[in-house]
Amino acid sequence: MTILENQFLKVSIDTKGAQLSSLHNKATGAEHMWQADPTVWPWHAPNLFPIVGQLANDELLVDGEKYSMKRHGFARQSEFIKLESNDVSASFSLPYCEKTLEVYPYKFDFQVMYTLIENALRVTYKLINRDKKTVYFSVGGHPAFNVPFSAGESYEDYYVEFESNEKLDTHLLSAEGLFNGETHPLAIKNKKLYLTRELFAEDALVLKDLKSRMVTIKSDKHEHSLSVEFPHFNYLGLWAKPGADFLCIEPWLGCADSAGEPKDIKHKEAIQKIAVGHVFEASFYISV
């Protein structure tokens, strides 16, 4: 386990999946990361690569060839190499290998970098194209934050506040996790989406057309908050396992397939690409 610490935060990162497993707020004493109860949801903050969401038939199409791949890709199940670390930053690498080439026919180095900047943690995704062709991919975060922040509070005391005034429509998913072409309006008032136990009964809320590039978890009962700023990410997922005491705030560059005929990776919605010899970077920030 790699530990980063400054006067505001102490964080822990596991080499499996390069996953953030603890975010300790030193001012309040609160542990903000969900602690991966295996009986509820056994993750803290998986990193999603090289796909985000569900593929039709669990198959990735690349130039007419089919490759087996489960939801959200293989990075979260993979052991990363720690490249370097100091008191306030660390970087981890997942390079291509024979095993990855069997399911994703591109040569790459996928890196996840963490940096403490005062009361914020910057999470950066870096992808280096090691191939002789354009690499197509999706990437995203899936951090789960404890809600409520402390014992004796109610989940329903909390809300998500959006940076801008929004008309929120969630893009609905089928039972198989694929977009079904339908949308549903969400009740938002004064930039606030209140959390309820029923809000995620039909799976994640997928928001595609946001003006906001920051959302904040707040409570009616106190002034403590946690914000996620995602300047480089065009899609946002909000999700919790029904009945569980957490909220996932998920910045995405990519999304699930739509129901129907699968599309080649080049034509998937929100797909990213990186040219030969180029490097991709995108960051989001968690602050308290």
Side-chain angles (χ1 to χ4, degrees), residues 102-219:
E102 290 174 0
V103 296
Y104 180 66
Y106 295 105
K107 297 178 179 179
F108 63 87
D109 185 359
F110 176 53
Q111 298 181 10
V112 184
M113 298 175 285
Y114 295 92
T115 306
L116 288 175
I117 306 169
E118 296 185 335
N119 65 325
L121 176 67
R122 182 177 65 202
V123 183
T124 301
Y125 296 129
K126 180 177 181 179
L127 186 66
I128 303 170
N129 186 341
R130 301 290 194 197
D131 218 317
K132 297 179 180 178
K133 59 188 176 185
T134 299
V135 171
Y136 292 84
F137 68 98
S138 295
V139 68
H142 201 312
F145 303 108
N146 285 325
V147 176
F149 290 172
S150 58
E153 300 177 330
S154 167
Y155 195 79
E156 288 76 9
D157 292 337
Y158 285 76
Y159 57 89
V160 178
E161 184 175 74
F162 289 79
E163 178 185 34
S164 302
N165 286 309
E166 303 279 0
K167 180 181 179 296
L168 290 186
D169 291 304
T170 180
H171 293 254
L172 299 182
L173 298 163
S174 69
E176 293 75 33
L178 306 173
F179 289 122
N180 64 15
E182 300 178 11
T183 61
H184 181 75
L186 297 173
I188 183 171
K189 186 176 182 180
N190 298 326
K191 304 180 185 178
K192 298 176 181 179
L193 177 67
Y194 275 86
L195 299 180
T196 69
R197 295 299 187 182
E198 295 75 36
L199 190 58
F200 307 104
E202 304 298 325
D203 209 333
L205 307 182
V206 181
L207 309 175
K208 297 185 179 183
D209 302 303
L210 287 178
K211 299 188 290 288
S212 301
R213 284 296 178 268
M214 183 170 69
V215 296
T216 303
I217 303 173
K218 293 184 174 182
S219 170

Side-chain angles (χ1 to χ4, degrees), residues 22-75:
S22 175
L23 182 79
H24 178 74
N25 184 337
K26 296 173 78 170
T28 66
E31 170 57 68
H32 284 292
M33 300 309 302
W34 168 251
Q35 288 303 292
D37 182 343
T39 66
V40 181
W41 190 66
W43 302 91
H44 304 280
N47 296 303
L48 316 182
F49 174 84
I51 62 165
V52 170
Q54 180 68 42
L55 295 172
N57 305 318
D58 287 331
E59 290 178 339
L60 183 68
L61 282 178
V62 182
D63 297 328
E65 295 291 327
K66 294 180 179 179
Y67 299 86
S68 177
M69 191 174 297
K70 297 294 186 181
R71 182 178 298 198
H72 293 323
F74 52 72

